[in-house]
Amino acid sequence: MTDSIGIAVIGAGMAGQAHTAAYRVAPTLYDPVLPPLRYVAVGDVNETLGGHVARRYGYEKAVGSWEAIAADPEIDVVSVVIANRFHRRAVEGLLEAGKHVLCEKPLSDTLEDARAMAAAAEQAESIARIGFTFRRTPGIAAIRDLIQGGTLGKVLHFSGRYWTDYGVNPKAPMSWRYQGGPGSGALADVGSHLAYVAEFLCGDIASVSGGRLATTITERPLPVGAVTGHDIGEVSDVHEPVENDDYAACSAEFASGAGSLEVSRVAAGHPNTLTFEVFCEKGAARFTQLRPAEIELFLREGPEATNGYRTVNLGPGHPYLGGGLAMDAPGVGFGQNDAFGYQARAFLEEVAGLDESVSLPRNASFDDGVHNMEVLAAAVESATNNGKKVVL
């Protein structure tokens, strides 16, 4: 095990702060076997924001570039949480400098860059992983265990959607989220999450069809100042066209079963609704991020007249929760921020050289990140070709 681990996060926005806080929480989870952690730097081109985040979470300093983090010998582990189009340059530079890298999804903004990043990770001596955070959600992991353990049995049908409303206000300022080619909008932002969740439960997607992309708010005002996360600040009278999708959907064929995926950033009243239902030979299960401390379970047992969905309150008998919360009893409640803590803990355990058999499952590889982008690219190809079937 290493003597200590120096940590940095590049990107001080909403998701960047989730990573920054998660590294703080990580050593408090489970048995305290991690080496000492040093919280070295927060990097952001907006140095005022970076300084605020560094102070808030107790990091030693703020810097204005990823290059400064790559050159810092005190830093071992880096989360990359910046606009997708900047991932490749930063990640390749960090790997070349010998840093261990945890990159936010999607891996990049183009398949070409994603594949180049995976090739760089393969050649690197350090560890490179992608954050598929919802794999760490206890309810989703519990449903996967019910499928793979045989309680639910073979998957027949999956129905999932990820509805958000951060783009529903036409006065929301132009930012990198609204720029890029087809599929780089809602599909890349939240559809990437939904795609890997679907495969986590149902196995690899073999083909997609019926692809649909729509841009419903076609222009946005330019901001007066810097834009952080989904903030709505002061805007100018100058507008620019929205280049990507507000809504996306497709049908998917898995190795076992079929299903549908639908995502939106203009679903009024749904700030963060990831929800799905999975139907299997022996029953069904459903989950919603609005109530993450429970799942609903239906098993085909007993008389039909009294059978139906029942609520299962999650607790220490389910994935991640035993020792993963200060109060890990059922009914305490938890949410999406906790999953970032489990993700950071898993990454630090791998960097520290802990045996996977006695630690958390590893984070996804860059090859997994490439596959995720191939699924999204297939959805785009289907959408731009009248819904044709695209085989992966």
Side-chain angles (χ1 to χ4, degrees), residues 84 105-106 109 164 166 176-192 213-215 242-248 263-265 376 380:
N84 303 334
K105 62 82 227 164
D109 63 336
T164 64
Y166 68 83
W176 64 268
R177 294 182 184 277
Y178 303 107
Q179 298 169 331
S184 65
L187 183 64
D189 189 11
V190 293
S192 52
L213 300 173
T215 304
V242 173
E243 299 174 354
N244 52 28
D245 42 293
D246 291 325
Y247 169 89
V263 299
S264 175
R265 64 188 182 193
L376 303 183
V380 172

Side-chain angles (χ1 to χ4, degrees), residues 9 41-47 50-51 61-66 68-69 72 75:
V9 175
V42 173
D44 200 284
V45 292
N46 183 341
E47 294 192 49
K61 60 187 175 184
V63 299
S65 70
W66 68 262
I69 286 175
D72 192 332
I75 295 171

Side-chain angles (χ1 to χ4, degrees), residues 152-217:
L152 286 170
K154 179 182 175 182
V155 174
L156 306 177
H157 169 203
F158 174 87
S159 176
R161 64 179 185 263
Y162 200 152
W163 288 349
T164 64
D165 64 1
Y166 68 83
V168 74
N169 187 340
K171 295 182 180 179
M174 175 60 67
S175 73
W176 64 268
R177 294 182 184 277
Y178 303 107
Q179 298 169 331
S184 65
L187 183 64
D189 189 11
V190 293
S192 52
H193 281 305
L194 186 59
Y196 73 68
V197 166
E199 292 193 313
F200 188 58
L201 298 170
C202 307
D204 286 353
I205 293 174
S207 68
V208 299
S209 59
R212 169 75 170 146
L213 300 173
T215 304
T216 55
I217 297 176

